[in-house]
Amino acid sequence: MPYEKLEISTPKPVLSWANHALGSDETKMARNVASLPFVFKHVALMPDVHLGKGALVGSVVATKEAIMPAAVGVDIGCGMMAIKTPFTAEQLEGKLKQIRLDLEAAIPVGFNENKNVEKVVLNWQGWRDFKELHSGVQRLESKAMKQMGSLGGGNHFIEVCLDTENSVWLMLHSGSRNIGNMLAQNHIGTAKELAKLAGDRLPDPDLAYFVAGTPEFATYWHDLQWAQDYARFNRDVMMARFKRIVEKHLAGGKQTKPLLSVNCHHNYAEKEVHFGEDVYVTRKGAVRAREEDYGIIPGSMGAKSFIVKGKGNAESYCSCSHGAGRLMSRNKAKNVYTLDDLIQQTNGVECRKDEGVLDEIPGAYKPIEQVMANQADLVEVVATLKQVVCIKG
């Protein structure tokens, strides 16, 4: 659907691709961001928009000469990776459980980390710049190395999927792990201190910002780009292991070439040109969707996911949603649903079916089909996927 302009009084308008009215807290959050003097042109809200910290998850904010670290978020560079393999559904028969067990043994989840650091991780060029990162993370280099190639927790996942033509896809969702979180926390703290010292009357303390040209801005921007690179490479490392395990089961260990590979952030900031001007674009729970950009829009652990190609919609700052978006909080999901509900809603999926993942039940998320319908002017669907194996962090 085309966007609608929200009926709220703000210096800059808010354009929404959601098909529902925002709640009072969501409206307040949108108003707070759109009231900041450095926000450029308008704020764009994606179809999966919901409450975040400081800025809404599912929002795209372009700014001039300033950036808000909390609007980027603490999982810097969080995003998705997917590859289309030459394998077909028939080759998976009878092998799903063992594939899941092998993946769980090879890729640490939650707070776990790798016991050994593999050569490809040690050779990552980003380690050369580690000593230039914020002083608050200098003790974490060893931990960051051990966590490279690990999934994390929450809504992060690994999935084996099938498309409508029964081709096998490998997909995963992860970010910059503890190192990205700690970098973000340190910089958010600095921004809040600067706002306090300057006497800034911000509508929300989490909208504290750095001004371009200052040392604090330069330091944050450097660390932000580093963490985004870490997150992308983290997904590459996991996908390489993932691919080897599937090849072991389906091709006798023989290496295969992906038919398509996509690796995209959905929590990040970049310098871009929009409406003829240089701006900083913060996508918090949104994927870049310029013309010909490939992206990934996952559903819940029991729903469809989509590989998409961008249409370059200018009003959205060439963006699209990053998923279905939560319909209810994790705590509410645990109170509303039972283990029997989880088993029913994940029928046909090889996955954990215990109370530890109850907060990720499909019913806690918005219907992905409606989210996709709302952004037909932002992306075209390249492939529709449905998971047959799902591993949650």
Side-chain angles (χ1 to χ4, degrees):
M1 75 169 199
Y3 66 83
E4 63 173 342
K5 181 180 174 182
L6 296 189
E7 295 181 2
I8 56 176
S9 178
T10 50
K12 297 290 166 57
V14 178
L15 310 184
S16 174
W17 274 260
N19 71 333
H20 59 84
L22 299 184
S24 59
D25 290 340
E26 293 169 321
T27 300
K28 182 180 179 181
M29 197 166 277
R31 183 185 291 114
N32 288 345
V33 173
S35 299
L36 295 169
F38 48 81
V39 168
F40 173 70
K41 196 167 173 63
H42 62 263
V43 173
L45 305 182
M46 299 297 98
D48 59 339
V49 66
H50 57 281
L51 281 175
K53 193 170 185 180
L56 290 163
V57 177
S59 63
V60 185
V61 186
T63 54
K64 297 282 287 185
E65 305 302 321
I67 193 166
M68 301 166 285
V72 177
V74 295
D75 194 358
I76 299 170
C78 184
M80 301 283 305
M81 186 171 184
I83 64 171
K84 182 179 182 180
T85 76
F87 306 123
T88 60
E90 293 76 17
Q91 293 171 273
L92 288 170
E93 287 185 16
K95 301 172 183 175
L96 296 181
K97 185 171 185 178
Q98 193 56 52
I99 288 174
R100 176 169 77 91
L101 293 174
D102 286 356
L103 286 169
E104 288 173 343
I107 300 176
V109 303
F111 292 104
N112 296 328
E113 54 193 36
N114 295 286
K115 292 183 175 66
N116 300 305
V117 180
E118 58 194 301
K119 189 175 180 181
V120 68
V121 170
L122 290 172
N123 289 340
W124 181 55
Q125 62 182 11
W127 303 125
R128 285 178 262 169
D129 299 327
F130 196 91
K131 293 292 186 274
E132 297 175 20
L133 298 177
H134 194 287
S135 60
V137 304
Q138 287 305 310
R139 72 190 188 282
L140 299 176
E141 185 173 12
S142 175
K143 185 179 183 67
M145 284 185 172
K146 290 178 181 176
Q147 286 196 326
M148 175 75 83
S150 65
L151 189 69
N155 62 354
H156 292 169
F157 64 80
I158 299 167
E159 289 184 345
V160 179
C161 303
L162 300 176
D163 65 17
T164 52
E165 297 175 347
N166 276 337
S167 291
V168 175
W169 289 71
L170 313 183
M171 186 165 69
L172 56 83
H173 172 206
S174 190
S176 53
R177 306 298 287 108
N178 179 253
I179 188 64
N181 179 22
M182 294 310 298
L183 281 169
Q185 297 284 8
N186 276 285
H187 287 291
I188 290 169
T190 300
K192 287 181 176 180
E193 283 299 315
L194 288 176
K196 193 182 297 183
L197 290 171
D200 279 352
R201 294 185 176 180
L202 293 167
D204 183 338
D206 283 315
L207 295 178
Y209 57 91
F210 294 128
V211 177
T214 62
E216 293 85 1
F217 183 102
T219 302
Y220 174 64
W221 191 258
H222 169 271
D223 290 2
L224 178 72
Q225 300 305 310
W226 186 93
Q228 289 173 185
D229 289 344
Y230 178 102
R232 185 181 296 277
F233 194 66
N234 181 45
R235 292 192 289 273
D236 283 335
V237 172
M238 283 188 287
M239 184 59 77
R241 291 185 204 159
F242 190 179
K243 181 171 172 284
R244 284 196 297 270
I245 288 168
V246 172
E247 286 168 343
K248 180 184 77 171
H249 288 280
L250 306 189
K254 182 182 176 182
Q255 290 190 356
T256 59
K257 187 176 181 180
L259 304 179
L260 179 67
S261 180
V262 186
N263 193 342
C264 57
H265 296 318
H266 56 225
N267 276 11
Y268 73 113
E270 290 287 358
K271 295 177 185 176
E272 297 179 3
V273 177
H274 291 277
F275 300 99
E277 296 195 42
D278 294 323
V279 292
Y280 296 98
V281 177
T282 297
R283 293 185 177 93
K284 183 172 188 172
V287 178
R288 191 177 67 188
R290 301 173 305 185
E291 282 190 40
E292 305 305 310
D293 270 344
Y294 281 97
I296 306 168
I297 304 176
S300 66
M301 64 189 289
K304 296 174 183 175
S305 296
F306 298 87
I307 307 297
V308 298
K309 189 182 285 187
K311 292 186 174 181
N313 186 303
E315 298 298 332
S316 72
Y317 298 112
C318 299
S319 307
C320 67
S321 84
H322 81 311
R326 291 196 74 91
L327 196 58
M328 61 182 69
S329 69
R330 295 185 182 279
N331 285 335
K332 185 175 180 180
K334 290 176 182 177
N335 291 328
V336 169
Y337 291 107
T338 66
L339 185 55
D340 286 341
D341 294 325
L342 176 68
I343 292 168
Q344 181 183 1
Q345 292 184 27
T346 58
N347 183 42
V349 181
E350 174 61 44
C351 63
R352 284 175 57 192
K353 299 179 191 285
D354 57 66
E355 293 183 350
V357 292
L358 191 56
D359 56 347
E360 282 294 305
I361 190 170
Y365 285 84
K366 297 176 183 178
I368 188 65
E369 289 83 2
Q370 184 62 58
V371 170
M372 294 304 298
N374 291 352
Q375 55 189 329
D377 58 336
L378 305 184
V379 293
E380 63 174 298
V381 175
V382 174
T384 302
L385 314 182
K386 180 69 174 67
Q387 69 279 89
V388 289
V389 174
C390 178
I391 296 168
K392 278 285 181 182

